[in-house]
Amino acid sequence: MELIALTLAAGLVYVLVHVGRTANSHQEMLEERTRALVLTRRVAEAANRCVVTDDALQLALREVCEYTGWDIGHSWTVKHGLMTPADRWTTVDGPVPPPLHGSPAPDGGELAQVVATAEPVWKHDGEVPAAVAELDMRGWLVFPVVVGARVVGVMEFLTREPVVPSALDLDLMSQIGVQLGLSFQRQAALKRFARRTQELTEANRSLAKANSQLEDFAHVASHDLKAPLRAIRSLAKWIGEDLPDDVPEHVREHCELMDGRVRRLERLLDDLLKYASSGVSGDAEVVSCEALIQQVVDMVQFPEAFDVRISKTDLQISTVSTPLEHVLLNLISNARQHSHEDRGTVQIAVTELNPEWVEFTVSDNGPGIEPRHRDQVWEIFRTLAPRDTKDTSGVGLAIVKKTVEAVGGQVVVTDSELGGVTFGFTWPRFWQGATAMRGAA
């Protein structure tokens, strides 16, 4: 019995010792993985915090050296297949020894292998590159920094004792390489953004200068050209007044035709000036859409026989009213001009597309516009009807398009239920300046 008891006791002690060792092993493994997670988090924070990639690399190298006990860390950046060494090294024992300054440039073949394969490389004792051995280092480990499948950097570590990385080390360095790759991506994106911003700034500056020059030219051209036109018109009037009563009728018609052409040219100059000066600026105010439409309709002065329909709405928007009023005036006047003489029908409506945009439409029962010509009507000086049959300069719709697009809106021409066409445009419901949101629905 005593022998059995002793045997059981010995077995129990063995089990307890084995369980204790297993528990300690699991505890050590848990602590090791916890430290690895903390390291990964610190590197991720450094990658997100640092604007300069080199700074993120240096922080990562220091964290890895402190975690692993590896003696020296160094990094390379890879761009277009060319490797550039960092000008700083990281150690766990203070300042870097003088021989390391300026980068000893370990064997390029091994580094190139890491860049080509995106796989880590480690060497120890007699296998380390000669430049590493000269520094009395017996271990050399190299890990890639990746963006997707592309290597953008390399981390190398030198150790005084031979090192074979564990599976945990390899997994950890792989995660760190990905985290640092995000820093490379962000820095590249910031550079592209800065370059694009600079390009846009220069383009806006050039555009503002060109617009200013165009407006100045329009003012000068309008003033300088109107003076001789007024003289020609006065001369035509005097000639008409001096004609005898028995003058042939075609002579009077020629004088009237000359007077009409001069008036058309004067109007063309006025409209050209308006086009050059058209834009959107000013302070926003709350505008009742129905009231604004009614105000513009009153300005057009339709004949009594005209059927003018304004859709009822309580929709209000916050905008600069003057440019919107000019757009509506051009479209409603255009509908008046191209409807059936004194018995036309014009319908004006406004609807809410979404919380940010509204759409105005002006429809008529005129002859309509063939689909193949609808893009052309927005071009400056473009008229589809013969100029002698319609008193138009071909600038009004161009002003509409320019003004609407200045606030980020869109213009469109479609068939009208009245038989003619419908001109529509989108307008921001809440004013945000001349660079209002793009992409109206």
Side-chain angles (χ1 to χ4, degrees), residues 122-142:
W122 58 91
K123 305 288 184 180
H124 54 80
D125 288 331
E127 298 178 345
V128 300
V132 175
E134 291 176 0
L135 299 171
D136 295 327
M137 295 292 166
R138 299 176 59 191
W140 183 58
L141 306 95
V142 185

Side-chain angles (χ1 to χ4, degrees), residues 241-312:
E241 292 174 351
D242 293 341
L243 288 175
D245 294 336
D246 58 348
V247 70
E249 185 62 26
H250 70 274
V251 175
R252 293 188 182 277
E253 291 176 356
H254 289 166
C255 289
E256 292 175 359
L257 181 61
M258 181 170 60
D259 181 69
R261 295 289 172 84
V262 170
R263 283 190 288 105
R264 182 190 300 167
L265 188 53
E266 287 179 335
R267 180 178 176 182
L268 180 61
L269 291 173
D270 288 336
D271 287 345
L272 180 61
L273 179 58
K274 290 178 183 178
Y275 179 80
S277 305
S278 62
V280 184
S281 61
D283 298 325
E285 58 181 307
V286 177
V287 175
S288 167
C289 294
E290 184 178 347
L292 181 62
I293 292 172
Q294 185 62 62
Q295 177 181 331
V296 175
V297 168
D298 293 341
M299 294 170 59
V300 175
Q301 297 180 343
F302 284 92
E304 292 184 4
F306 248 77
D307 182 12
V308 181
R309 307 170 185 174
I310 301 176
S311 297
K312 298 295 182 182

Side-chain angles (χ1 to χ4, degrees), residues 88-103:
R88 292 177 292 177
W89 291 74
T90 298
T91 68
V92 294
D93 297 327
V96 181
L100 287 180
H101 284 296
S103 171

Side-chain angles (χ1 to χ4, degrees), residues 21-246:
R21 289 176 177 174
T22 303
N24 289 336
S25 176
H26 283 299
Q27 180 65 26
E28 291 174 359
M29 183 179 298
L30 180 61
E31 291 177 354
E32 185 70 14
R33 290 190 177 279
T34 300
R35 291 179 60 223
L37 288 174
V38 171
L39 172 61
T40 304
R41 178 179 59 81
R42 289 179 177 175
V43 172
E45 291 175 349
N48 289 328
R49 183 174 63 253
C50 296
V51 177
V52 180
T53 302
D54 286 345
D55 293 340
L57 283 169
Q58 292 302 316
L59 287 171
L61 292 173
R62 184 171 65 247
E63 294 285 353
V64 171
C65 287
E66 291 178 355
Y67 169 79
T68 60
W70 298 341
D71 298 283
I72 299 175
H74 180 248
S75 64
W76 301 72
T77 56
V78 181
K79 188 174 183 180
H80 304 307
L82 300 177
M83 299 185 63
T84 304
D87 58 359
R88 292 177 292 177
W89 291 74
T90 298
T91 68
V92 294
D93 297 327
V96 181
L100 287 180
H101 284 296
S103 171
D107 182 26
E110 299 288 355
L111 289 174
Q113 177 184 341
V114 175
V115 174
T117 64
E119 295 291 338
V121 169
W122 58 91
K123 305 288 184 180
H124 54 80
D125 288 331
E127 298 178 345
V128 300
V132 175
E134 291 176 0
L135 299 171
D136 295 327
M137 295 292 166
R138 299 176 59 191
W140 183 58
L141 306 95
V142 185
F143 302 94
V145 177
V146 297
V147 173
R150 180 169 55 91
V151 177
V152 295
V154 171
M155 295 177 289
E156 62 173 332
F157 298 92
L158 284 63
T159 62
R160 292 185 174 88
E161 298 297 330
V163 172
V164 176
S166 66
L168 179 61
D169 290 335
L170 293 175
D171 181 64
L172 179 62
M173 295 307 298
S174 174
Q175 294 182 42
I176 289 175
V178 171
Q179 292 292 340
L180 290 173
L182 296 177
S183 178
F184 277 80
Q185 275 188 310
R186 186 174 62 258
Q187 185 178 29
L190 288 173
K191 288 181 178 179
R192 289 194 300 269
F193 177 77
R195 183 170 60 252
R196 184 58 177 161
T197 300
Q198 179 64 26
E199 292 173 354
L200 289 175
T201 300
E202 293 176 358
N204 286 336
R205 189 181 298 116
S206 299
L207 180 60
K209 182 179 180 181
N211 285 339
S212 177
Q213 292 174 341
L214 174 61
E215 188 172 347
D216 290 343
F217 168 77
H219 278 283
V220 172
S222 177
H223 178 272
D224 291 351
L225 292 176
K226 275 187 176 182
L229 285 176
R230 284 193 294 267
I232 294 173
R233 188 175 181 186
S234 297
L235 181 60
K237 181 181 178 181
W238 296 338
I239 293 175
E241 292 174 351
D242 293 341
L243 288 175
D245 294 336
D246 58 348

Side-chain angles (χ1 to χ4, degrees), residues 382-400:
R382 173 76 69 172
T383 60
L384 300 182
R387 294 187 183 274
D388 288 333
T389 63
K390 297 290 184 181
D391 186 14
T392 177
S393 63
V395 179
L397 292 180
I399 294 176
V400 168

